[in-house]
PDB file of all heavy atoms in Angstrom:
ATOM      1  N   THR A1102    -119.109   6.694-124.000  1.00 98.00           N
ATOM      2  CA  THR A1102    -118.489   5.744-124.918  1.00 98.00           C
ATOM      3  C   THR A1102    -117.189   5.237-124.275  1.00 98.00           C
ATOM      4  O   THR A1102    -116.919   5.535-123.113  1.00 98.00           O
ATOM      5  CB  THR A1102    -118.224   6.398-126.307  1.00 98.00           C
ATOM      6  OG1 THR A1102    -117.788   5.369-127.243  1.00 98.00           O
ATOM      7  CG2 THR A1102    -117.181   7.505-126.262  1.00 98.00           C
ATOM      8  N   ASP A1103    -116.424   4.439-125.043  1.00 95.00           N
ATOM      9  CA  ASP A1103    -115.155   4.003-124.466  1.00 95.00           C
ATOM     10  C   ASP A1103    -114.000   4.532-125.304  1.00 95.00           C
ATOM     11  O   ASP A1103    -114.194   5.153-126.321  1.00 95.00           O
ATOM     12  CB  ASP A1103    -115.119   2.464-124.345  1.00 95.00           C
ATOM     13  CG  ASP A1103    -115.458   1.765-125.664  1.00 95.00           C
ATOM     14  OD1 ASP A1103    -114.623   1.847-126.598  1.00 95.00           O
ATOM     15  OD2 ASP A1103    -116.542   1.194-125.818  1.00 95.00           O
ATOM     16  N   SER A1104    -112.797   4.301-124.810  1.00 95.00           N
ATOM     17  CA  SER A1104    -111.611   4.936-125.379  1.00 95.00           C
ATOM     18  C   SER A1104    -111.250   4.471-126.769  1.00 95.00           C
ATOM     19  O   SER A1104    -110.358   5.035-127.432  1.00 95.00           O
ATOM     20  CB  SER A1104    -110.414   4.779-124.463  1.00 95.00           C
ATOM     21  OG  SER A1104    -110.239   3.418-124.123  1.00 95.00           O
ATOM     22  N   VAL A1121    -115.051   6.102-120.948  1.00 96.00           N
ATOM     23  CA  VAL A1121    -114.534   5.166-119.988  1.00 96.00           C
ATOM     24  C   VAL A1121    -113.358   4.408-120.646  1.00 96.00           C
ATOM     25  O   VAL A1121    -113.543   3.752-121.681  1.00 96.00           O
ATOM     26  CB  VAL A1121    -115.647   4.157-119.552  1.00 96.00           C
ATOM     27  CG1 VAL A1121    -115.106   3.194-118.528  1.00 96.00           C
ATOM     28  CG2 VAL A1121    -116.838   4.931-118.986  1.00 96.00           C
ATOM     29  N   PRO A1122    -112.166   4.542-120.088  1.00 95.00           N
ATOM     30  CA  PRO A1122    -110.978   3.947-120.784  1.00 95.00           C
ATOM     31  C   PRO A1122    -110.824   2.438-120.548  1.00 95.00           C
ATOM     32  O   PRO A1122    -111.125   1.931-119.481  1.00 95.00           O
ATOM     33  CB  PRO A1122    -109.810   4.705-120.144  1.00 95.00           C
ATOM     34  CG  PRO A1122    -110.285   5.157-118.833  1.00 95.00           C
ATOM     35  CD  PRO A1122    -111.752   5.302-118.890  1.00 95.00           C
ATOM     36  N   LEU A1123    -110.359   1.730-121.599  1.00 96.00           N
ATOM     37  CA  LEU A1123    -109.925   0.392-121.477  1.00 96.00           C
ATOM     38  C   LEU A1123    -108.416   0.421-121.086  1.00 96.00           C
ATOM     39  O   LEU A1123    -107.805   1.461-121.160  1.00 96.00           O
ATOM     40  CB  LEU A1123    -110.068  -0.366-122.789  1.00 96.00           C
ATOM     41  CG  LEU A1123    -111.497  -0.909-123.078  1.00 96.00           C
ATOM     42  CD1 LEU A1123    -112.433   0.247-123.515  1.00 96.00           C
ATOM     43  CD2 LEU A1123    -111.441  -1.953-124.220  1.00 96.00           C
ATOM     44  N   SER A1124    -107.904  -0.744-120.691  1.00 96.00           N
ATOM     45  CA  SER A1124    -106.484  -0.765-120.265  1.00 96.00           C
ATOM     46  C   SER A1124    -105.636  -1.607-121.200  1.00 96.00           C
ATOM     47  O   SER A1124    -106.090  -2.588-121.778  1.00 96.00           O
ATOM     48  CB  SER A1124    -106.347  -1.390-118.839  1.00 96.00           C
ATOM     49  OG  SER A1124    -107.175  -0.622-117.941  1.00 96.00           O
ATOM     50  N   LEU A1133    -104.048   3.177-118.761  1.00 96.00           N
ATOM     51  CA  LEU A1133    -105.367   3.482-119.236  1.00 96.00           C
ATOM     52  C   LEU A1133    -105.255   4.144-120.590  1.00 96.00           C
ATOM     53  O   LEU A1133    -104.567   5.110-120.741  1.00 96.00           O
ATOM     54  CB  LEU A1133    -106.098   4.448-118.249  1.00 96.00           C
ATOM     55  CG  LEU A1133    -106.478   3.823-116.886  1.00 96.00           C
ATOM     56  CD1 LEU A1133    -107.008   4.952-115.992  1.00 96.00           C
ATOM     57  CD2 LEU A1133    -107.533   2.719-117.057  1.00 96.00           C
ATOM     58  N   SER A1157    -107.640  -4.989-121.315  1.00 94.00           N
ATOM     59  CA  SER A1157    -108.627  -5.312-120.271  1.00 94.00           C
ATOM     60  C   SER A1157    -109.752  -4.267-120.311  1.00 94.00           C
ATOM     61  O   SER A1157    -109.475  -3.059-120.474  1.00 94.00           O
ATOM     62  CB  SER A1157    -107.852  -5.376-118.968  1.00 94.00           C
ATOM     63  OG  SER A1157    -108.675  -5.007-117.927  1.00 94.00           O
ATOM     64  N   GLN A1158    -110.968  -4.745-120.104  1.00 93.00           N
ATOM     65  CA  GLN A1158    -112.137  -3.854-120.127  1.00 93.00           C
ATOM     66  C   GLN A1158    -112.315  -3.142-118.799  1.00 93.00           C
ATOM     67  O   GLN A1158    -111.791  -3.582-117.805  1.00 93.00           O
ATOM     68  CB  GLN A1158    -113.385  -4.668-120.431  1.00 93.00           C
ATOM     69  CG  GLN A1158    -113.822  -5.546-119.264  1.00 93.00           C
ATOM     70  CD  GLN A1158    -114.502  -6.798-119.683  1.00 93.00           C
ATOM     71  OE1 GLN A1158    -114.130  -7.460-120.644  1.00 93.00           O
ATOM     72  NE2 GLN A1158    -115.510  -7.171-118.961  1.00 93.00           N
ATOM     73  N   PRO A1159    -113.079  -2.031-118.751  1.00 94.00           N
ATOM     74  CA  PRO A1159    -113.335  -1.361-117.549  1.00 94.00           C
ATOM     75  C   PRO A1159    -114.234  -2.246-116.602  1.00 94.00           C
ATOM     76  O   PRO A1159    -115.013  -3.029-117.111  1.00 94.00           O
ATOM     77  CB  PRO A1159    -114.121  -0.105-117.894  1.00 94.00           C
ATOM     78  CG  PRO A1159    -114.049  -0.009-119.393  1.00 94.00           C
ATOM     79  CD  PRO A1159    -113.733  -1.390-119.927  1.00 94.00           C
ATOM     80  N   ALA A1160    -114.077  -2.096-115.309  1.00 93.00           N
ATOM     81  CA  ALA A1160    -114.892  -2.834-114.345  1.00 93.00           C
ATOM     82  C   ALA A1160    -116.294  -2.249-114.275  1.00 93.00           C
ATOM     83  O   ALA A1160    -116.454  -1.077-114.538  1.00 93.00           O
ATOM     84  CB  ALA A1160    -114.212  -2.760-112.951  1.00 93.00           C
ATOM     85  N   ILE A1161    -117.235  -3.100-113.944  1.00 96.00           N
ATOM     86  CA  ILE A1161    -118.640  -2.633-113.803  1.00 96.00           C
ATOM     87  C   ILE A1161    -118.736  -1.456-112.841  1.00 96.00           C
ATOM     88  O   ILE A1161    -119.463  -0.475-113.082  1.00 96.00           O
ATOM     89  CB  ILE A1161    -119.557  -3.795-113.291  1.00 96.00           C
ATOM     90  CG1 ILE A1161    -119.675  -4.896-114.363  1.00 96.00           C
ATOM     91  CG2 ILE A1161    -120.932  -3.271-112.910  1.00 96.00           C
ATOM     92  CD1 ILE A1161    -120.563  -6.054-113.948  1.00 96.00           C
ATOM     93  N   GLY A1162    -117.932  -1.521-111.785  1.00 96.00           N
ATOM     94  CA  GLY A1162    -117.982  -0.462-110.754  1.00 96.00           C
ATOM     95  C   GLY A1162    -117.666   0.947-111.340  1.00 96.00           C
ATOM     96  O   GLY A1162    -118.278   1.914-110.879  1.00 96.00           O
ATOM     97  N   GLU A1163    -116.819   1.016-112.357  1.00 96.00           N
ATOM     98  CA  GLU A1163    -116.525   2.261-112.979  1.00 96.00           C
ATOM     99  C   GLU A1163    -117.784   2.887-113.645  1.00 96.00           C
ATOM    100  O   GLU A1163    -118.015   4.067-113.607  1.00 96.00           O
ATOM    101  CB  GLU A1163    -115.392   2.142-114.006  1.00 96.00           C
ATOM    102  CG  GLU A1163    -114.003   1.919-113.394  1.00 96.00           C
ATOM    103  CD  GLU A1163    -112.959   1.720-114.446  1.00 96.00           C
ATOM    104  OE1 GLU A1163    -112.799   2.606-115.300  1.00 96.00           O
ATOM    105  OE2 GLU A1163    -112.262   0.644-114.400  1.00 96.00           O
ATOM    106  N   PHE A1164    -118.523   1.992-114.309  1.00 97.00           N
ATOM    107  CA  PHE A1164    -119.755   2.467-114.955  1.00 97.00           C
ATOM    108  C   PHE A1164    -120.801   2.834-113.945  1.00 97.00           C
ATOM    109  O   PHE A1164    -121.527   3.829-114.106  1.00 97.00           O
ATOM    110  CB  PHE A1164    -120.281   1.374-115.880  1.00 97.00           C
ATOM    111  CG  PHE A1164    -119.540   1.292-117.220  1.00 97.00           C
ATOM    112  CD1 PHE A1164    -118.687   0.225-117.475  1.00 97.00           C
ATOM    113  CD2 PHE A1164    -119.714   2.290-118.173  1.00 97.00           C
ATOM    114  CE1 PHE A1164    -117.973   0.140-118.691  1.00 97.00           C
ATOM    115  CE2 PHE A1164    -119.014   2.207-119.387  1.00 97.00           C
ATOM    116  CZ  PHE A1164    -118.158   1.153-119.609  1.00 97.00           C
ATOM    117  N   HIS A1182    -120.766   1.540-127.367  1.00 97.00           N
ATOM    118  CA  HIS A1182    -119.449   0.905-127.077  1.00 97.00           C
ATOM    119  C   HIS A1182    -118.957   0.032-128.220  1.00 97.00           C
ATOM    120  O   HIS A1182    -119.723  -0.340-129.102  1.00 97.00           O
ATOM    121  CB  HIS A1182    -119.619   0.032-125.865  1.00 97.00           C
ATOM    122  CG  HIS A1182    -119.902   0.833-124.619  1.00 97.00           C
ATOM    123  ND1 HIS A1182    -119.033   1.744-124.087  1.00 97.00           N
ATOM    124  CD2 HIS A1182    -121.001   0.878-123.819  1.00 97.00           C
ATOM    125  CE1 HIS A1182    -119.536   2.262-122.987  1.00 97.00           C
ATOM    126  NE2 HIS A1182    -120.782   1.817-122.801  1.00 97.00           N
ATOM    127  N   THR A1188    -114.929  -7.214-126.795  1.00 91.00           N
ATOM    128  CA  THR A1188    -114.644  -6.690-125.463  1.00 91.00           C
ATOM    129  C   THR A1188    -115.883  -6.781-124.611  1.00 91.00           C
ATOM    130  O   THR A1188    -116.974  -6.611-125.098  1.00 91.00           O
ATOM    131  CB  THR A1188    -114.077  -5.251-125.482  1.00 91.00           C
ATOM    132  OG1 THR A1188    -114.203  -4.702-124.146  1.00 91.00           O
ATOM    133  CG2 THR A1188    -114.853  -4.353-126.440  1.00 91.00           C
ATOM    134  N   GLY A1189    -115.712  -6.945-123.307  1.00 92.00           N
ATOM    135  CA  GLY A1189    -116.833  -7.032-122.389  1.00 92.00           C
ATOM    136  C   GLY A1189    -117.322  -5.655-121.922  1.00 92.00           C
ATOM    137  O   GLY A1189    -118.187  -5.568-121.043  1.00 92.00           O
ATOM    138  N   THR A1190    -116.801  -4.553-122.556  1.00 95.00           N
ATOM    139  CA  THR A1190    -117.188  -3.232-122.115  1.00 95.00           C
ATOM    140  C   THR A1190    -118.681  -2.955-122.215  1.00 95.00           C
ATOM    141  O   THR A1190    -119.290  -2.431-121.299  1.00 95.00           O
ATOM    142  CB  THR A1190    -116.407  -2.188-123.008  1.00 95.00           C
ATOM    143  OG1 THR A1190    -115.002  -2.518-122.973  1.00 95.00           O
ATOM    144  CG2 THR A1190    -116.573  -0.781-122.455  1.00 95.00           C
ATOM    145  N   PHE A1191    -119.281  -3.369-123.325  1.00 96.00           N
ATOM    146  CA  PHE A1191    -120.715  -3.214-123.520  1.00 96.00           C
ATOM    147  C   PHE A1191    -121.512  -3.913-122.409  1.00 96.00           C
ATOM    148  O   PHE A1191    -122.413  -3.365-121.797  1.00 96.00           O
ATOM    149  CB  PHE A1191    -121.129  -3.767-124.901  1.00 96.00           C
ATOM    150  CG  PHE A1191    -122.585  -3.960-125.101  1.00 96.00           C
ATOM    151  CD1 PHE A1191    -123.427  -2.852-125.388  1.00 96.00           C
ATOM    152  CD2 PHE A1191    -123.166  -5.222-124.971  1.00 96.00           C
ATOM    153  CE1 PHE A1191    -124.811  -3.047-125.552  1.00 96.00           C
ATOM    154  CE2 PHE A1191    -124.507  -5.393-125.147  1.00 96.00           C
ATOM    155  CZ  PHE A1191    -125.369  -4.327-125.461  1.00 96.00           C
ATOM    156  N   SER A1193    -120.436  -4.725-119.402  1.00 96.00           N
ATOM    157  CA  SER A1193    -120.205  -4.022-118.099  1.00 96.00           C
ATOM    158  C   SER A1193    -121.152  -2.808-118.013  1.00 96.00           C
ATOM    159  O   SER A1193    -121.722  -2.536-117.001  1.00 96.00           O
ATOM    160  CB  SER A1193    -118.787  -3.542-117.951  1.00 96.00           C
ATOM    161  OG  SER A1193    -117.912  -4.651-117.845  1.00 96.00           O
ATOM    162  N   SER A1194    -121.212  -2.082-119.117  1.00 96.00           N
ATOM    163  CA  SER A1194    -122.056  -0.832-119.169  1.00 96.00           C
ATOM    164  C   SER A1194    -123.516  -1.181-118.971  1.00 96.00           C
ATOM    165  O   SER A1194    -124.232  -0.546-118.242  1.00 96.00           O
ATOM    166  CB  SER A1194    -121.774  -0.145-120.504  1.00 96.00           C
ATOM    167  OG  SER A1194    -122.468   1.069-120.564  1.00 96.00           O
TER     168      SER A1194
END
Side-chain angles (χ1 to χ4, degrees):
T1102 187
D1103 54 69
S1104 52
V1121 181
L1123 278 75
S1124 302
L1133 290 174
S1157 148
Q1158 72 209 41
I1161 291 180
E1163 286 178 57
F1164 283 107
H1182 295 295
T1188 162
T1190 308
F1191 166 80
S1193 294
S1194 184

